[in-house]
Amino acid sequence: MNTFKTLSTIFLFLIGYASFAQVQIVGTIVDNQNIPIIGATISLKNTTNAFGKLTDNSGKFEINAPYGSYTIEARYLGFQSYKNTIEISTGTTFDIGTIQLEVGTEQLQSVEVVGRARTDYNSDYSFSSTKVAIKNKELPQAVSTITKELINDRQAFQIADAIKNSSSVTHTGFYNHFNIRGIIQAEDGQLINGMRTRQYYFLQPITSHIERAEVIKGPSSVTFSSVDPGGSVNLVTKKPLKENRNEVSATVGSFGTLRATADFTGPLNESGTLLYRFNTAVQEARSFRDLVQNNQFLITPSITFLPNKSTALNVEMIYSNGVGNLDRGQPLFGAINGQFDLNSTDISTNVGAANDFYSSKEFMVISNFSKEITDNIEFNASYMKQTWEEDLAEHRVAGSAAVDIAGNAIPTLAELRYTERQQFWITDNYTAYINFDLENDSFTNKFLVGYDGSRWERTVGGASNGARRYRRLNGTATSFDPAEAAQFETIDINGVIAPRPNVDHFDLADPNNTARETSGYITSEFAIPANLTTSNGIYIQNQFKIGKFSALLNLRYDWYEDIFDYKGDERSFKNEAFIPRIGLTYEATKTISVYGSYVEGFQPQSNTVTLSPATEDFFWADSPANFDPLESDNIEFGAKGEFLGGKLTVNAAVYQITQKNLLQQDPNDESVLIERGEQRSRGFEWDLTGYVLPNLQISASYAFIDAEIIEDEDPALIGERIGGAPEHSANFWGRYDFTHGALRNIGVGLGTVYRGDRLSWYGDRLELPSYTVFDAAVYYRPSGIDMQIALKLNNLFDETYWNGALNATRLFPGAPRNVLLTTTYKF
């Protein structure tokens, strides 16, 4: 991919397009209380030209257009539209003045097929958490939303960079893997538009096609089937819009970062019944980590058909191709006197070789159909088809430090293993439901009944071949036993006799990442068995509201089947469960609601072990579905408030999550899994998002988490903290735009992330220190053109810190100080 050619083309296009403007049309949009409306859509049309713009943080807009007669229209969700005709024949500026929009009766769409109208940090609804449009204020569950505007302002080009703004979310490493409410994620894959996928883990794709990321807190099995009890990350893709909006951007930055994106949307016909969106991005990026890179190509076209007011059809495609390296983290010197030194190696240290690689490719098609049968009855159906494949060759740390012939550790040498792996997955998701709505002056009832299912197939032909351990004289490779030292080949390491490793050790004191010859390894060949996992669920949901009280009631029945060695020596394992949810909400005032809820979670073990390095090999050797399923429950109380006309939202919650039947490796036999028992997480979280001033927008959060092990095979661990969960964490981001004086085109951003000390996920229970990292940004928006130049400094004070760790051989350090420069043009 020729990135420089792409960037040059975009740059020349921007210059050429901007040259024709003759008159600047300006104005201000306010509501009936004279509060500026941010993100209102302004369209200017005549027979030959059409222009569109959104109001800024002060409710103002500027549109450049040639002389002529135009129809101007101002629209914003929840308000009546304004339309007028203007004539522009002289001058360089035409001031329309202040336009006041009156409150309207436009309602939210029942299913999300048309793009979001708002353009701020707030999103006041979630379709995915209940499958219908329920305002977050009425939802008895905590939902943190990170909109594309916040993503863009923070230049968060990966999912992990975006959702760190949410309370109770901690990034555990370099992948799309998180600790939410003190619980480490176990499920592989992500939710896209509320549907389960198998993707987005090791090599993070870029976020240019994401409208918002939703962190839906607590168990959501009642909605999404088998998902983690701490919370679920749902990515909502950008949908077509009814107005023409076009945007291109280019980014350069530290670590060899080059990125270009384009996003075009609008109607395809005059009647506006056919809408489109075309989103694409390309990236070449290296890292502060040795040998690590992440090159991405993304294309996501979509079409929405609206033949009448009662029917909607949306079809979208996501194609993502990533090539780079699977970064297993920073290894430390072996323990000296029982202690590990976090600074014994540089944070850039990587044991990989120059000829290692990782590629991940996915192709997904999602279709949504909505039909309003009557004024009170609506039918919705969705289908998703996804293919995902990976190809891997890597060197990684095999266990702990290398040993000499007597079995004594050599702290500066890391024992390595080599793996070549290929997999191909096919995923199908389907859902259909009918909702019945009844409403009068004192009573509202929304009843829903539906079915959904999924089918995950790991196809025949996958393989995971590898080399590890030590060489025996008989030509095999096994674990080293000092009692059988005479049976192993030996080498001399600086005068120390040691067993010969199958894969040469990595010298942490003198790193060398050159290409390695792998043909001489004693390699074990392992065919990954095909596997088929199916789930089916039927559910009912009822939300009713009487006066200031509302309730949300759910009951779901799920049945699962896991077929191990599919189409071979098949073994079938089945699970089934009833999953309830009950939530109550009370409108304490016009701006504040309080709620309480109880919900259960249910996860068959067929897909709960791949993300844990302690259990991943078992996933290919047998089916974990023969163990009891993971079971969880969440008790939660909270309050939600909307202030300043809905421009500022505040959410707070206290909760208790319990989870039992966790799988882990038997300390006496690594090929055997056992169940841990039970763990519990209690906490408090608080989120604030929106405009506190017309030109100051912020996103802030705080979380306290008390996560501990309740039952375990090892009595010493009972009462200990769960790995990966900080007790205290906080986030802040704010953007202030100057609107007057010499700085009127300038904006500034400031952010900080705080994480308390944490333990590694497992093994050594290594303690990682707390950290505070600051980011800063400067934005420049030149007059007369809808362009922004953003300069972002990450880790402003060059703090050394660690996001997380598996154990002492795999730490995940944060990036040192780095810079990004992004130019964005909208037209």
Side-chain angles (χ1 to χ4, degrees), residues 1-12 250-253 256-260 282-285:
M1 58 188 80
N2 193 330
T3 302
F4 289 104
K5 183 177 179 181
T6 303
L7 295 176
S8 300
T9 302
I10 292 173
F11 182 72
L12 292 173
T251 299
V252 296
T257 298
L258 293 167
R259 184 183 298 112
V282 60
Q283 170 182 279
E284 290 184 3

Side-chain angles (χ1 to χ4, degrees), residues 23 58 61 80 110 136 141 150 159 267 326 392 399 424 438 442 463 483-484 558 579 643-644 670 693 718 749 788 823:
V23 181
S58 301
F61 66 89
Q80 299 177 28
S110 60
N136 285 340
Q141 183 177 17
L150 180 54
I159 304 302
L326 199 166
L392 162 73
F424 187 84
L438 299 175
S442 59
E484 299 179 351
D558 268 353
I579 307 168
F643 307 97
L644 303 179
E670 65 178 19
L693 295 172
I718 296 176
Q788 176 179 272
T823 301

Side-chain angles (χ1 to χ4, degrees), residues 321-392:
N321 189 0
V323 178
N325 302 86
L326 199 166
D327 189 352
R328 294 289 187 174
Q330 169 199 358
L332 301 179
F333 284 4
I336 299 176
N337 298 324
Q339 298 296 318
F340 291 96
D341 180 3
L342 298 181
N343 298 305
S344 60
T345 60
D346 191 271
I347 61 172
S348 65
T349 302
N350 177 13
V351 303
N355 50 332
D356 290 353
F357 67 88
Y358 183 81
S359 67
S360 175
K361 183 188 298 184
E362 72 147 350
F363 195 0
M364 181 188 306
V365 175
I366 306 174
S367 58
N368 308 93
F369 175 75
S370 175
K371 177 65 177 179
E372 186 178 298
I373 300 172
T374 70
D375 290 341
N376 306 109
I377 302 175
E378 185 167 348
F379 172 77
N380 292 280
S382 300
Y383 174 71
M384 183 197 78
K385 182 82 170 185
Q386 180 205 22
T387 62
W388 173 79
E389 62 181 294
E390 69 167 359
D391 190 7
L392 162 73

Side-chain angles (χ1 to χ4, degrees), residues 330-533:
Q330 169 199 358
L332 301 179
F333 284 4
I336 299 176
N337 298 324
Q339 298 296 318
F340 291 96
D341 180 3
L342 298 181
N343 298 305
S344 60
T345 60
D346 191 271
I347 61 172
S348 65
T349 302
N350 177 13
V351 303
N355 50 332
D356 290 353
F357 67 88
Y358 183 81
S359 67
S360 175
K361 183 188 298 184
E362 72 147 350
F363 195 0
M364 181 188 306
V365 175
I366 306 174
S367 58
N368 308 93
F369 175 75
S370 175
K371 177 65 177 179
E372 186 178 298
I373 300 172
T374 70
D375 290 341
N376 306 109
I377 302 175
E378 185 167 348
F379 172 77
N380 292 280
S382 300
Y383 174 71
M384 183 197 78
K385 182 82 170 185
Q386 180 205 22
T387 62
W388 173 79
E389 62 181 294
E390 69 167 359
D391 190 7
L392 162 73
E394 67 161 342
H395 289 82
R396 56 184 284 197
V397 175
S400 54
V403 296
D404 64 18
I405 201 68
N408 301 310
I410 306 176
T412 60
L413 296 182
E415 181 186 344
L416 294 189
R417 61 186 291 190
Y418 174 72
T419 301
E420 297 176 343
R421 186 174 72 229
Q422 295 82 36
Q423 290 190 84
F424 187 84
W425 287 78
I426 301 173
T427 299
D428 294 273
N429 272 248
Y430 27 85
T431 181
Y433 56 91
I434 299 177
N435 48 296
F436 306 84
D437 296 343
L438 299 175
E439 184 175 356
N440 57 37
D441 294 337
S442 59
F443 177 81
T444 299
N445 192 87
K446 297 181 178 181
F447 179 78
L448 181 149
V449 58
Y451 160 81
D452 62 34
S454 66
R455 184 183 188 276
W456 292 8
E457 180 184 353
R458 183 177 61 203
T459 63
V460 173
S464 181
N465 303 329
R468 60 188 304 186
R469 301 187 173 94
Y470 293 87
R471 292 174 177 260
R472 284 180 172 266
L473 295 173
N474 63 6
T476 63
T478 66
S479 297
F480 178 68
D481 182 356
E484 299 179 351
Q487 303 300 318
F488 288 82
E489 298 180 29
T490 60
I491 57 173
D492 184 295
I493 304 175
N494 298 323
V496 176
I497 303 301
R500 181 183 295 277
N502 188 13
V503 179
D504 287 345
H505 297 319
F506 187 87
D507 190 343
L508 297 170
D510 185 20
N512 185 340
N513 298 104
T514 57
R516 297 183 187 136
E517 176 56 54
T518 62
S519 60
Y521 296 163
I522 299 173
T523 303
S524 61
E525 297 183 357
F526 178 73
I528 301 175
N531 206 81
L532 177 64
T533 301

Side-chain angles (χ1 to χ4, degrees), residues 41-45 50-53 63 71-75 243:
T41 299
I42 312 299
S43 61
L44 198 67
K45 299 179 181 179
F51 306 94
K53 201 65 178 290
I63 298 178
T71 297
I72 185 170
E73 183 176 10
R75 292 192 297 166
E243 299 85 23

